Amino acid sequence: MTQAIFMVGARGAGKTTIGKALALALKYRFIDTDLFMQQTLQSSVAEIVAREGWDGFRLRESIALQTVTAAKTVVATGGGAVLSHENRAFMRNHGIVIYLRASADVLAERLTEDPEDAQRPSLTGKPIVEEMLDVLASREALYQDVAHHVLDATQPPEDVVEQILQILADEKVK
């Protein structure tokens, strides 16, 4: 099993935390597309959005996704990467897609506890719990559509990594 593994889900779902641990367990490379863009463009997500708008940011996100995808790589995608049909098709065709699912309350709690995770500007201007409810309402079907596997991201990260490793082992046998 050498294809890429994509982690999708809303902000705060644990894509980076779980992705890093999974990459370590598999001896894969780990890349966070948001971090890749920030390093490549020498700008924060907020600065990119302020300069180019959300459409410009989403275009750059798609380019980053395609640029970093490689065999034996775990890719933590931006929460909105699934908004593009092309991104969803690309991920499904180039690897295994894991949707880390969590409720709006859990996501809001995590983002409040770890403000660094919230470096993106608000999508709606609403309080964080309301924003996460809106985001999940608009994206849940897309996350479900793209995912090969949906996992409960409210569990401890090591448990989620164990489940992913089991899924990968089961798929290798088939």
Side-chain angles (χ1 to χ4, degrees):
M1 219 291 295
T2 57
Q3 60 191 323
I5 300 170
F6 300 97
M7 312 302 283
V8 301
R11 240 184 334 159
K15 298 180 301 281
T16 299
T17 301
I18 291 166
K20 282 180 179 175
L22 180 64
L24 193 62
L26 293 169
K27 295 182 174 53
Y28 277 22
R29 215 167 43 124
F30 172 79
I31 296 184
D32 178 308
T33 57
D34 282 352
L35 196 56
F36 174 81
M37 279 192 295
Q38 288 172 38
Q39 291 169 343
T40 306
L41 301 171
Q42 297 292 298
S43 299
S44 70
V45 171
E47 290 167 338
I48 298 166
V49 171
R51 190 172 57 238
E52 302 179 25
W54 280 107
D55 288 346
F57 173 79
R58 294 291 176 216
L59 178 62
R60 289 190 179 276
E61 185 174 57
S62 295
I63 293 167
L65 177 67
Q66 292 180 25
T67 302
V68 304
T69 297
K72 294 191 174 187
T73 303
V74 176
V75 180
T77 64
V82 297
L83 294 171
S84 158
H85 171 74
E86 289 77 20
N87 287 351
R88 293 193 310 277
F90 179 85
M91 287 187 282
R92 282 197 65 86
N93 292 332
H94 288 85
I96 295 173
V97 185
I98 308 283
Y99 170 27
L100 299 176
R101 191 168 191 225
S103 70
D105 287 339
V106 168
L107 296 170
E109 187 179 313
R110 287 179 180 174
L111 293 171
T112 304
E113 285 173 10
D114 188 3
E116 273 194 53
D117 251 7
Q119 288 175 353
R120 280 181 184 233
S122 170
L123 294 168
T124 61
K126 294 179 180 177
I128 192 71
V129 176
E130 287 179 44
E131 177 164 314
M132 296 320 296
L133 281 167
D134 288 353
V135 166
L136 290 177
S138 66
R139 296 181 184 171
E140 178 66 23
L142 301 176
Y143 290 135
Q144 294 279 352
D145 176 58
V146 72
H148 291 103
H149 304 280
V150 179
L151 297 179
D152 177 0
T154 63
Q155 303 172 84
E158 55 275 12
D159 292 357
V160 178
V161 170
E162 251 336 287
Q163 288 176 13
I164 297 169
L165 292 172
Q166 189 58 58
I167 287 167
L168 297 175
D170 291 348
E171 287 191 357
K172 199 174 198 177
V173 172
K174 289 179 185 172

